[in-house]
């Protein structure tokens, strides 16, 4: 049986991959000795790398950027040094500027517009040049619905709507809002393929603006949709980093490989079911 280990097992996506069956790989991706030791003990056939620093606004500071570079970029080099087997590395549509999305796998003009995107671009470049045959770079986008209680876009707006508070949601960003259990399911199915693609997009089937998605969330969970107000990026409290506007990912290739791809509403309905 294929032994699958997941790095970043305590994060939003990594925890779900562990819940769905992968073994946590407990080590710091920036420390080669820890990686060597953990891999030696676990003896995985496949490593799924979800380890990352993902706080986009914090990474706009010099300190945040240098820390993120260590994990998101140089961490990939260390992982490649420590493990010459099959790796599935998770990345993002934030490696693009959001002028021409949704992006297909063959679009190859890196154009990040924030420092998080730069660190992820560096990680991708190292991965694509150094990874063993059979490894896959997965780009995903707009993750929500983790089962370990970490805040995400949906949980945050539901908390506010539940208290009867207004939420300002940008209508300047478009992407596929993607339900974490569905993405984890597709990643684990990819592990079963004997001839996987080198680059693969995973996300929900449709692209929506964040504002439209927030209206959908309010509708599905029966909150007052009048509390959801459209705004521009500059009005979103706490946002320092620019975000790619017309981003998102085409997911046709995943469908060609018969990987499970769902509609946005399927994710929200599943989340509702789980919360009952
Ligand atoms: N969230 C999204 O909307 C989104 C969208 C597109 C792509 N992605 C990509 O998807 C992947 C997973 O994202 P996520 O949302 O699950 O992120 P997350 O919730 O922030 O989880 C990342 C995990 O990586 C761990 N980590 C940080 N530094 C590490 C290190 N030096 N060594 C080992 N582990 C380390 C974190 O541990 P600590 O908690 O201890 O720091 C955390 O458990 C990332 O590659 C991200 O770029 C995410």
């Amino acid at each position: 049986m294929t032994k699958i280990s997941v790095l970043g097992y305590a994060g939003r996506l990594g925890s779900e991959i562990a819940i769905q069956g992968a073994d946590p790989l407990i080590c710091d991706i920036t420390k080669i000795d820890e990686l060597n030791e953990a891999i030696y003990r676990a003896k995985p056939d496949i490593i799924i790398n979800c380890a990352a620093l993902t706080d986009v606004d914090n990474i706009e500071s010099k300190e945040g950027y240098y820390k993120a570079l260590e994990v998101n970029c140089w961490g990939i080099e260390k992982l490649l040094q420590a493990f010459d087997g099959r790796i599935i590395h998770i990345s993002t549509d934030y490696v693009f500027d959001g002028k021409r999305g949704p992006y297909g796998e063959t679009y190859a003009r890196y154009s990040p517009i924030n420092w998080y995107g730069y660190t992820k671009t560096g990680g991708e470049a190292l991965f694509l040049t150094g990874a063993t045959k059979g490894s896959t770079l997965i780009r995903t986008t707009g993750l929500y619905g983790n089962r370990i209680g970490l805040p995400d876009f949906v949980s945050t707006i539901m908390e506010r709507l539940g208290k009867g508070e207004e939420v300002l949601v940008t209508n300047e960003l478009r992407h596929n809002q993607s339900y974490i259990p569905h993405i984890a399911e597709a990643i684990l199915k990819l592990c079963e393929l004997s001839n996987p693609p080198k680059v693969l997009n995973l996300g929900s089937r449709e692209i929506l603006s964040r504002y439209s998605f927030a209206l959908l969330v309010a509708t599905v969970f029966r909150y007052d949709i009048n509390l959801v107000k459209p705004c521009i990026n500059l009005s979103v409290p706490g946002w320092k980093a620019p975000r790619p506007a017309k981003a998102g990912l085409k997911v046709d290739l995943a469908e060609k490989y018969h990987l499970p791809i769902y509609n946005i509403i399927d994710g929200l309905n599943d989340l509702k079911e789980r919360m009952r």
Side-chain angles (χ1 to χ4, degrees):
M1 202 179 135
T2 310
K3 182 147 193 238
I4 304 169
S5 292
V6 59
L7 253 169
Y9 62 91
R12 291 166 180 80
L13 180 59
S15 60
E16 181 63 33
I17 291 172
I19 289 169
Q20 291 192 23
D23 296 323
L25 195 63
I26 303 169
C27 62
D28 184 332
I29 196 175
T30 67
K31 301 204 168 108
I32 189 76
D33 293 348
E34 283 195 24
L35 273 168
N36 283 335
E37 170 80 15
I39 291 167
Y40 176 76
R41 280 176 190 273
K43 298 191 177 31
D45 299 300
I46 303 177
I47 295 179
I48 302 171
N49 178 32
C50 297
L53 291 182
T54 58
D55 184 340
V56 176
D57 295 299
N58 185 45
I59 295 169
E60 287 298 288
S61 71
K62 196 170 171 186
E63 197 193 346
Y65 172 63
Y66 284 136
K67 278 189 185 158
L69 206 54
E70 280 303 310
V71 180
N72 299 352
C73 183
W74 305 127
I76 312 310
E77 189 181 41
K78 299 218 168 65
L79 177 59
L80 292 170
Q81 270 173 38
F83 186 65
D84 61 5
R86 189 173 159 195
I87 303 175
I88 295 175
H89 172 58
I90 312 299
S91 193
T92 167
D93 56 348
Y94 274 41
V95 296
F96 302 123
D97 59 14
K99 291 189 179 150
R100 290 160 201 260
Y103 297 95
E105 287 84 352
T106 53
Y107 189 85
R109 289 174 70 178
Y110 286 120
S111 47
I113 57 170
N114 57 42
W115 292 111
Y116 164 71
Y118 272 96
T119 65
K120 294 296 289 184
T121 300
E124 282 202 9
L126 289 167
F127 183 78
L128 288 173
T129 49
T132 305
K133 194 168 177 297
S135 294
T136 302
L137 172 79
I138 288 182
R139 294 196 187 107
T140 187
T141 176
L143 299 180
Y144 74 90
N146 74 85
R147 284 201 260 176
I148 55 169
L150 293 173
D152 59 35
F153 177 67
V154 171
S155 68
T156 305
I157 64 166
M158 280 185 23
E159 194 183 328
R160 306 248 341 246
L161 293 174
K163 289 183 196 157
E165 292 172 13
E166 245 180 40
V167 286
L168 279 179
V169 184
T170 178
N171 60 8
E172 289 187 324
L173 300 185
R174 293 177 63 77
H175 57 131
N176 336 40
Q177 289 80 14
S178 306
Y179 182 54
I180 288 171
H182 288 164
I183 301 301
E185 181 190 349
I187 292 171
L188 289 168
K189 281 268 178 240
L190 176 82
C191 293
E192 295 170 14
L193 299 183
S194 53
N195 196 13
K198 192 164 183 188
V199 181
L200 180 73
N201 292 338
L202 288 179
S204 61
R205 199 171 275 122
E206 314 94 331
I207 311 277
L208 280 183
S209 74
R210 278 223 187 168
Y211 171 64
S212 303
F213 180 57
L215 287 176
L216 192 60
V217 172
T219 307
V220 169
F221 289 91
R222 295 173 187 258
Y223 294 114
D224 179 359
I225 57 167
N226 297 309
L227 291 172
V228 181
K229 304 284 182 201
C231 70
I232 58 172
N233 289 353
L234 280 176
S235 311
V236 181
W239 276 14
K240 295 183 191 134
R243 265 89 168 158
K246 203 174 159 207
L249 299 165
K250 292 181 185 161
V251 293
D252 327 34
L253 185 64
E255 298 203 282
K256 276 190 198 142
Y257 276 87
H258 304 291
L259 296 172
I261 295 293
Y262 294 88
N263 294 320
I264 287 181
I265 194 72
D266 298 327
L268 289 176
N269 282 335
D270 193 72
L271 181 62
K272 192 171 172 185
E273 201 53 44
R274 282 188 180 182
M275 285 171 66
R276 276 209 182 114

